[in-house]
Amino acid sequence: MTAFPEERIPSRGGLSGPALFHDQAFVDRPLTMRGVTEADLPELVRVDREAFPQEPYPYFVLRQLFDLHGDRLLVLDDGEHLHGYVLFVTTSDGYRSWIVSLGVTRDQRGRGLGRRLMLEVLRRLRAEGVREARLTVEPTNAAAIALYRSLGFSSDEGVRKDYFGVDEDRLIMTLGL
Ligand SMILES: CC(C)(COP(=O)(O)OP(=O)(O)OC[C@H]1O[C@@H](n2cnc3c(N)ncnc32)[C@H](O)[C@@H]1OP(=O)(O)O)[C@@H](O)C(=O)NCCC(=O)NCCS
C-alpha cells in the first residue's frame, strides 16, 4: 500500500474569519490530510452519511471499498474526528481514474477543503501517468459542479439519463491530465 504524504491544514482561524461560521458547531483544530486506515471506518461511514444524507453508502459497501481501494482513499482528520474524504479508483489499464466520492462535513465546507482533496488526487494521478480523470455529479449539485469546473473538468458528454437507475440522472465530467 502506497502511503500518502500527510498534509497539515491550519485551523480555520488562519484561513477565514470565525464570524463566517459563528452559527455552526465547528472544531477549530488543524486538520491532517492522510491515507485512510481500518480504524477510520466508523468515522468514514459517519462522514459519508453527513455528506450524502439521501444516498449514503451502506457500511458494508464502504468496508469493501476500503478493502479493495484503501490506498486510494484520503481523509481529513482533526485528531479526533474525520471531516472529509475522497475516493478515486483507476481502471486496470491505468488510463482513466474515477473520482468515486468526495465529501466534506457541513461544518467545514467553504474553506477550501474539497479543493485540497481534489488537488491532491489530481497531483497523484498525474504523477502516476493516468491520462484522464472522470466523475459523475447530480446535475443540480451547483457547489460540486463549480468546484470541478474550477479545476478544469468539463461536461462535454452532458447529462446521462437514469445513469444510476430510474430518475437518477448524472452529469459526467472529465479532465485530461
Ligand atoms: C462539494 C463539496 C465537496 C465542496 O467542498 P468544500 O470544501 O465546501 O469546497 P471548497 O471550499 O473547496 O470550494 C471549492 C469551490 O467549490 C465551489 N463551491 C463550494 N461551495 C459552493 C457553494 N455553496 N456554492 C457554489 N459553489 C461552491 C466554488 O467554486 C469553490 O471555489 P471558491 O471558493 O474559489 O469560490 C461539499 O460541498 C460537499 O461535501 N457536498 C456534499 C457532498 C457532495 O455533493 N459531494 C460531491 C459529489 S459529486
Side-chain angles (χ1 to χ4, degrees), residues 34-49:
R34 61 166 175 77
V36 73
T37 68
E38 186 169 5
D40 291 324
L41 272 171
E43 274 289 292
L44 189 63
V45 168
R46 185 189 59 75
V47 170
D48 183 70
R49 286 182 183 156

Side-chain angles (χ1 to χ4, degrees), residues 108-172:
Q108 296 284 338
R109 286 183 196 157
R111 57 176 297 218
L113 298 175
R115 184 185 300 284
R116 278 182 191 244
L117 286 168
M118 285 297 297
L119 285 172
E120 175 58 22
V121 168
L122 297 177
R123 186 198 68 74
R124 177 107 179 171
L125 295 179
R126 289 188 175 107
E128 292 171 356
V130 175
R131 305 295 298 279
E132 182 188 272
R134 186 171 271 251
L135 56 85
T136 67
V137 58
E138 278 190 54
T140 55
N141 191 342
I145 292 170
L147 166 60
Y148 300 139
R149 283 204 196 290
S150 75
L151 292 167
F153 281 82
S154 61
S155 50
D156 302 339
E157 291 182 31
V159 174
R160 292 276 300 273
K161 190 158 172 45
D162 298 337
Y163 191 77
F164 282 149
V166 177
D167 291 338
E168 291 292 344
D169 305 347
R170 289 295 183 274
L171 184 66
I172 311 291

